[in-house]
Amino acid sequence: MAAVEVHDTPELQEPERRTYLNAGHTLSSWLLTVDHKRIGIMYLIAVTSFFLVGALFAALVRLELTTPAGDLLSADLYNKAFTMHGVVMVFFVLIPSVPATLGNFLIPIMIGARDVAFPRLNLFSWYLFMAGGLFALSAAVTGGVDTGWTFYTPYSSTYANGSVLLAGMGAFVAGFSSILTGLNFIVTIHTMRAPGMHWFRLPLFIWAHYATALIQVLGTPVIAITLLLMMLERGLHIGIFDPTLGGDPVLFQHLFWFYSHPAVYIMILPAMGVISEMIACFSRRRIFGYSFVAFSSLAIAIIGFFVWGHHLYVSSQSVYVGLVFSFITFLVAIPSAIKTFNWAATMYKGSISYDSPMIFVLGFMGLFLIGGLTGLFLAAVGLDVHLHDTYFVVAHFHYIMVGGAIMGFLGGLHFWWPKMTGRMYPELPAKIAAWLVFAGFNLTFFPQFLAGYIGMPRRYHEYPPEFQIFNVMSSGGAVVLGIGYLMPMIYLIWSIFYGKKASANPWTGKGLEWTIPSPPPTENFERTPIVMEEAYEYSHLEVKKVG
């Protein structure tokens, strides 16, 4: 056989495709953009930055609680640390995490639109969000605030010495960003769907964001007015909540929780939408009971407006009123259970692939299940009196808000990262990170259920020595959790520069976002798509991994 000399031939350089990422490289091209995808990326950068700030305050709290004595922070500094942790995490991380980042990026693409209904209003919302964040951070550097993220009156309006007005103004301004974002989503979903994309062909991600947007538009004005009244009482001494001025402090709690309990669903409902998308994709099955899952989002949003009174069982609220709120709170667990059962039924006999986003899904389901079931404890009047203001409440809150919402957010970020950046990330570190987050989270917060049940109150920087074992476990778990959260920041940024190029549909998913190149062009679609099939139509799809 004759030897054949082989010469390497130079690869032909493909012309650079125009995408939303290379549409402009100047700072002004980003800061003045009205492209929903770029605004979503700007929210992602902002939310990640606020997350690091909130995590720093959390680290201070966990370090202080490692020993029973108050030997790292004084009581005053401890109060300011947990308050800033709560304010930053709730108003600037948890509430905007999924809707403002993934929602902004994906909603127009998923319904076949070129952009949101009001692009300039969308950019204005981002500026409002950033202004609110700067107000809140300025409170931290000008003396701090020690009221807790709930700003309970009359302490916040009369007695607290910190920068309450700045922190309150931060949440107040950020609230308008949330309202405008919700309004934009509602109008976009109603008016800009592609031909054939009727309501029952919408991805469940869209249903979840639609329900969330209703809460944002209807509920957020209440907290805005409440914070404004608190600031007026503090600044002008108008008697609204302070009994010495003729006000009623319980009125503040009613108004605050009328928004803040539905706000829980602003945080968790979008994450549920993310989970629905990933379960269908990685199980290769249509979501079991699609209509029930869709309407359960609306049910959670609507019923959520009628449960605020379960936060006031130990206030002057009537016991009989408390019983009514207890019943309604149990009721809101039903649509959440419908989602969980239907997700499990979807996976049953599915062709499940355990890519890293699916690991986050499994972590979400485990943490949300624990958080949801322990919420039933707090819905019961008698048990809540025992557990009120203990670490049991802290643990429950974090299982839902952080364990659920952030796990869903991270899962969604891994799922759509190839679409957003056009790059793949390394799978092994991503799977390790998912397991570290799950393990670290349980190590951090499960001991707090036990400490709270046997009586450890929250918001104290000193505690009896018998609670130390629980706090050492929590602080140790927080280290594991912190590593798990830090790893995605490293390998996702690495992937932007060194990651393998992503195909248009690396997960072989269904949905309009997987029909366009990665990253998407500025206009999303070259021509308006026509939707001809139901959502999650995996039954006729050849199961073949690409890329």
Side-chain angles (χ1 to χ4, degrees):
M1 179 181 292
V4 176
E5 190 175 355
V6 177
H7 297 280
D8 292 334
T9 55
E11 292 184 5
L12 295 175
Q13 293 289 325
E14 293 183 5
E16 189 178 26
R17 184 173 57 83
R18 181 178 170 82
T19 72
Y20 82 98
L21 287 174
N22 61 20
H25 296 288
T26 62
L27 184 61
S28 63
S29 73
W30 281 86
L31 295 179
L32 300 178
T33 185
V34 291
D35 186 330
H36 67 99
K37 299 179 290 298
R38 284 194 165 204
I39 292 171
I41 296 294
M42 291 198 295
Y43 269 115
L44 177 61
I45 295 170
V47 166
T48 304
S49 303
F50 285 120
F51 179 84
L52 291 173
V53 174
L56 176 65
F57 286 111
L60 287 174
V61 170
R62 287 312 329 161
L63 278 173
E64 168 55 48
L65 292 176
T66 305
T67 60
D71 41 16
L72 177 65
L73 302 175
S74 65
D76 184 48
L77 284 177
Y78 178 79
N79 291 346
K80 290 176 179 176
F82 77 68
T83 297
M84 286 310 303
H85 167 68
V87 169
V88 171
M89 284 296 197
V90 169
F91 294 108
F92 301 100
V93 177
L94 295 174
I95 287 178
S97 59
V98 179
T101 58
L102 299 178
N104 251 315
F105 194 97
L106 291 163
I107 285 176
I109 300 176
M110 282 183 158
I111 64 172
R114 291 173 62 95
D115 208 320
V116 292
F118 308 114
R120 289 182 175 80
L121 193 64
N122 200 19
L123 179 62
F124 182 58
S125 300
W126 183 80
Y127 277 105
L128 282 177
F129 176 72
M130 294 305 296
L134 291 177
F135 272 120
L137 293 182
S138 63
V141 297
T142 56
V145 57
D146 63 353
T147 60
W149 74 275
T150 51
F151 296 105
Y152 271 6
T153 58
Y155 182 67
S156 62
S157 60
T158 304
Y159 302 105
N161 293 318
S163 302
V164 179
L165 288 179
L166 281 174
M169 184 60 74
F172 179 78
V173 173
F176 283 95
S177 169
S178 183
I179 294 169
L180 296 179
T181 298
L183 179 66
N184 224 334
F185 286 173
I186 290 173
V187 178
T188 301
I189 295 168
H190 268 278
T191 63
M192 299 180 70
R193 301 192 308 277
M197 180 65 86
H198 57 67
W199 282 91
F200 292 100
R201 284 181 175 170
L202 284 174
L204 291 167
F205 181 88
I206 302 296
W207 276 97
H209 276 78
Y210 184 79
T212 304
L214 292 177
I215 304 174
Q216 288 175 295
V217 170
L218 297 176
T220 311
V222 177
I223 189 66
I225 293 296
T226 307
L227 291 173
L228 180 64
L229 292 175
M230 182 272 288
M231 290 187 281
L232 287 174
E233 180 168 279
R234 185 175 177 86
L236 304 177
H237 304 290
I238 300 172
I240 302 168
F241 305 118
D242 188 346
T244 63
L245 299 173
D248 180 358
V250 181
L251 173 63
F252 178 89
Q253 295 188 39
H254 279 288
L255 293 173
F256 181 86
W257 288 113
F258 180 81
Y259 163 78
S260 293
H261 194 87
V264 168
Y265 305 119
I266 294 179
M267 305 176 209
I268 195 67
L269 267 174
M272 290 173 162
V274 170
I275 296 301
S276 293
E277 298 300 315
M278 293 193 291
I279 284 182
C281 178
F282 293 107
S283 301
R284 325 306 303 171
R285 293 191 71 196
R286 177 177 166 82
I287 289 289
F288 180 82
Y290 167 95
S291 301
F292 285 93
V293 178
F295 281 113
S296 67
S297 293
L298 294 178
I300 290 172
I302 294 168
I303 299 172
F305 276 111
F306 300 98
V307 302
W308 80 89
H310 75 239
H311 294 274
L312 283 79
Y313 286 157
V314 297
S315 71
S316 57
Q317 176 180 267
S318 159
V319 174
Y320 300 106
V321 173
L323 287 174
V324 174
F325 279 118
S326 175
F327 174 77
I328 302 173
T329 305
F330 279 113
L331 192 64
V332 81
I334 294 175
S336 300
I338 287 173
K339 285 183 182 293
T340 308
F341 280 117
N342 285 25
W343 289 331
T346 304
M347 289 190 287
Y348 178 65
K349 291 189 176 180
S351 178
I352 300 175
S353 56
Y354 293 96
D355 296 282
S356 53
M358 191 61 183
I359 307 298
F360 282 102
V361 169
L362 299 177
F364 170 93
M365 291 184 71
L367 299 180
F368 179 73
L369 189 66
I370 296 173
L373 291 176
T374 51
L376 299 180
F377 286 55
L378 299 173
V381 180
L383 268 175
D384 183 78
V385 170
H386 171 63
L387 299 170
H388 189 84
D389 263 347
T390 70
Y391 264 86
F392 191 97
V393 178
V394 176
H396 159 71
F397 181 86
H398 281 81
Y399 263 88
I400 294 289
M401 295 300 92
V402 184
I406 297 297
M407 205 74 171
F409 173 59
L410 286 175
L413 195 59
H414 284 74
F415 186 49
W416 284 295
W417 184 261
K419 180 59 58 184
M420 297 167 77
T421 64
R423 296 286 176 173
M424 298 299 294
Y425 50 83
E427 264 291 285
L428 181 61
K431 289 181 178 177
I432 293 173
W435 284 115
L436 282 179
V437 169
F438 181 75
F441 191 90
N442 281 298
L443 283 171
T444 305
F445 292 103
F446 200 85
Q448 295 179 16
F449 280 127
L450 306 176
Y453 188 79
I454 60 177
M456 181 171 174
R458 61 179 178 173
R459 298 184 173 176
Y460 285 86
H461 80 309
E462 293 180 327
Y463 56 85
E466 56 263 36
F467 293 121
Q468 186 175 14
I469 180 64
F470 302 110
N471 282 289
V472 169
M473 292 171 68
S474 278
S475 297
V479 174
V480 178
L481 183 60
I483 295 171
Y485 283 148
L486 190 60
M487 284 181 64
M489 294 184 196
I490 296 171
Y491 62 71
L492 289 180
I493 292 174
W494 177 89
S495 73
I496 293 174
F497 302 100
Y498 307 107
K500 189 174 65 173
K501 285 189 176 180
S503 64
N505 192 359
W507 311 116
T508 325
K510 299 292 290 184
L512 290 178
E513 76 270 30
W514 303 116
T515 65
I516 60 175
S518 304
T522 304
E523 66 278 10
N524 294 344
F525 301 92
E526 290 184 0
R527 62 190 67 177
T528 302
I530 298 175
V531 180
M532 304 290 289
E533 63 181 22
E534 305 300 314
Y536 316 115
E537 190 55 62
Y538 284 99
S539 57
H540 303 296
L541 184 70
E542 182 185 2
V543 181
K544 180 182 179 181
K545 289 292 294 293
V546 178

